[in-house]
Amino acid sequence: LRPYPATPLLRGASARDEEIELVWDDGERASIPLIWLRDHCPCEACRHHQTRERLIVPLDGVAETAEVGLEAGHLRLRWADGHLSQFASGWLYQRRPAATDASALPARQAWSEAFTPTRVAHADIFTPGGEATWLEALLRDGLVLLDGGPLADEEVSRIAERIGPQRPTNFGARFDVRSKPNPNNAAYTAIGLALHTDLPNWRQPPDIQLLYCLQNAAQGGESLFADGFQVAEALREQAPEHFRLLSELAIDFRFQDATQDIATRAPVIECDASGRVVEIRFNNWIRDTLRLPAAQMTAWYRAYHHFWTLLHSPRYQLDFALAPGQMVAFDNRRVLHGRRAFDPNTGARHLQGTYLDRDMLESRLRVLARDS
Ligand code: AKG
């Protein structure tokens, strides 16, 4: 059995009806159904010895009775069909029904007016503590800064791939943001970019965006951010009907160029079944022809304009110039980003960007917690 050093041993185990009652050294108690224990048997017949994936479904009848015993403080069950299951006390302690989930991820918190982003030094992201701080802030606040990185091509990919594979889109897995001669996207010009989320025209837009600054010598080009969750709540409070229209009516988003035509239909504000805001899709360049019943159109435009105005209000906006060697990471399905116009004749501005799946951030945080 694998030891779980920080958790107590079992001092009692007894069968009652179809459950086992357990008592640990620290006085903690739990009742666990027999069928659950059979389902979670860790032996090599029940779990693949290399992948640790489950190989069985507990069958009717096999988990109604078992002989219960303790061996050096761990649980031992001999089932009626002769099968033997052994459970480490610590494993059971961590997963007992009343236990809080030690691997729980940070809850998303809307920005307050006093919000200032967490900053992590580039050198620290390569330590477990620094990386966990960066990941937690990104999952919780939807935005985090990394300071003092090298001015190295592809540093953004190196950081991203520490977390997980880069998420490719029609702009490639890794993209360069600088003004180009024949742009297919407003980001590749020098114009100011109003707040937006990237690629809301995809059924699943990229979750996380990383933007790494390599050069920022041009006049202008400051970065702008707003928390869509915070501003959506302000809209709900100021004008519930506007919030309702933007969250209930799906509209079209579409990107077209010579080779692509990527489109989807979704509301600007998406709520879950309990009414909590879970996603913002906002990108005025690729908002497609408005297809709504004529009677709803004017009301929808009013609601959209109201949301636009709130988003761009200085009260809700973060505004700062990225320094060369600095990287901003943000939740693209929550936090809107933009920039002020810049003058390419006054100096170079060059950012490198990529996207990551939120699942990989969560995975990385669980792996770091496992090792700590
Ligand atoms: C984008 O790549 O989507 C941008 O909005 C670029 C932001 C910037 O140039 O600061």
Side-chain angles (χ1 to χ4, degrees):
L1 291 173
R2 212 173 123 213
Y4 282 78
T7 47
L9 294 172
L10 283 164
R11 74 167 134 89
S14 54
R16 213 180 65 147
D17 300 329
E18 293 193 345
E19 297 192 343
I20 301 282
E21 311 242 308
L22 300 173
V23 191
W24 283 267
D25 275 347
D26 66 352
E28 188 65 34
R29 294 171 173 272
S31 291
I32 303 185
L34 283 167
I35 185 94
W36 186 96
L37 288 159
R38 183 69 191 241
D39 185 34
H40 293 83
C41 175
C43 82
E44 292 197 354
C46 295
R47 293 259 162 186
H48 189 276
H49 70 286
Q50 289 164 313
T51 69
R52 304 303 302 147
E53 288 169 319
R54 183 181 282 105
L55 300 173
I56 52 112
V57 174
L59 299 173
D60 270 0
V62 299
E64 279 162 12
T65 56
E67 270 172 40
V68 186
L70 288 184
E71 208 172 277
H74 302 288
L75 180 66
R76 190 174 195 278
L77 297 176
R78 175 72 70 183
W79 302 93
D81 63 355
H83 190 83
L84 177 68
S85 299
Q86 291 171 284
F87 295 92
S89 63
W91 187 92
L92 286 167
Y93 192 88
Q94 287 177 351
R95 287 164 178 77
R96 70 197 187 282
T100 50
D101 184 359
S103 64
L105 297 161
R108 291 162 131 193
Q109 268 173 28
W111 296 356
S112 65
E113 283 190 32
F115 173 73
T116 50
T118 298
R119 308 170 83 110
V120 174
H122 177 271
D124 290 344
I125 201 174
F126 299 101
T127 66
E131 187 177 354
T133 302
W134 184 85
L135 290 163
E136 278 166 0
L138 182 48
L139 292 170
R140 183 189 62 235
D141 303 330
L143 186 140
V144 64
L145 286 168
L146 196 70
D147 290 333
L151 304 186
D153 189 42
E154 295 295 348
E155 182 60 16
V156 72
S157 307
R158 198 160 81 91
I159 295 169
E161 282 175 359
R162 188 178 165 82
I163 314 290
Q166 298 176 70
R167 151 85 196 266
T169 75
N170 52 307
F171 296 106
R174 225 267 300 118
F175 52 91
D176 285 279
V177 183
R178 55 183 157 196
S179 51
K180 297 182 189 175
N182 293 306
N184 64 349
N185 181 309
Y188 305 148
T189 67
I191 63 171
L193 301 178
L195 290 168
H196 62 284
T197 59
D198 277 6
L199 304 164
N201 57 313
W202 285 61
R203 193 164 287 113
Q204 176 163 345
D207 292 334
I208 303 294
Q209 179 163 179
L210 310 183
L211 282 176
Y212 195 101
C213 178
L214 289 174
Q215 289 175 293
N216 202 0
Q219 260 168 32
E222 295 84 0
S223 300
L224 310 171
F225 297 93
D227 180 11
F229 286 5
Q230 180 193 25
V231 181
E233 290 309 331
L235 181 73
R236 177 161 25 204
E237 199 174 315
Q238 283 182 19
E241 180 58 9
H242 287 172
F243 181 91
R244 189 189 70 75
L245 289 164
L246 296 186
S247 58
E248 290 184 3
L249 300 180
I251 61 157
D252 292 285
F253 297 94
R254 187 171 186 180
F255 169 87
Q256 300 171 78
D257 67 6
T259 53
Q260 316 278 355
D261 188 344
I262 308 169
T264 198
R265 191 167 166 81
V268 169
I269 299 173
E270 191 179 321
C271 296
D272 67 10
S274 66
R276 204 169 52 114
V277 177
V278 290
E279 174 156 9
I280 304 293
R281 287 178 194 252
F282 199 100
N283 188 318
N284 204 46
W285 300 285
I286 58 170
R287 186 165 57 75
D288 200 18
T289 311
L290 187 67
R291 279 193 300 137
L292 287 177
Q296 289 180 318
M297 283 187 183
T298 306
W300 185 89
Y301 278 113
R302 286 204 179 105
Y304 183 71
H305 187 258
H306 188 177
F307 194 36
W308 168 282
T309 308
L310 282 179
L311 283 166
H312 290 88
S313 136
R315 176 174 177 187
Y316 296 116
Q317 228 168 280
L318 279 185
D319 174 345
F320 55 87
L322 278 170
Q326 198 171 39
M327 186 183 84
V328 59
F330 53 94
D331 181 338
N332 178 58
R333 297 171 75 171
R334 160 182 175 183
V335 170
L336 295 91
H337 65 290
R339 71 157 185 244
R340 294 199 198 290
F342 62 95
D343 178 355
N345 299 317
T346 55
R349 184 177 188 277
H350 181 195
L351 310 183
Q352 289 190 321
T354 190
Y355 302 112
L356 283 170
D357 288 325
R358 188 180 172 86
D359 300 76
M360 298 315 299
L361 271 71
E362 296 181 353
S363 158
R364 190 77 194 133
L365 205 48
R366 289 191 195 100
V367 170
L368 290 169
R370 188 200 288 169
D371 295 343
S372 64

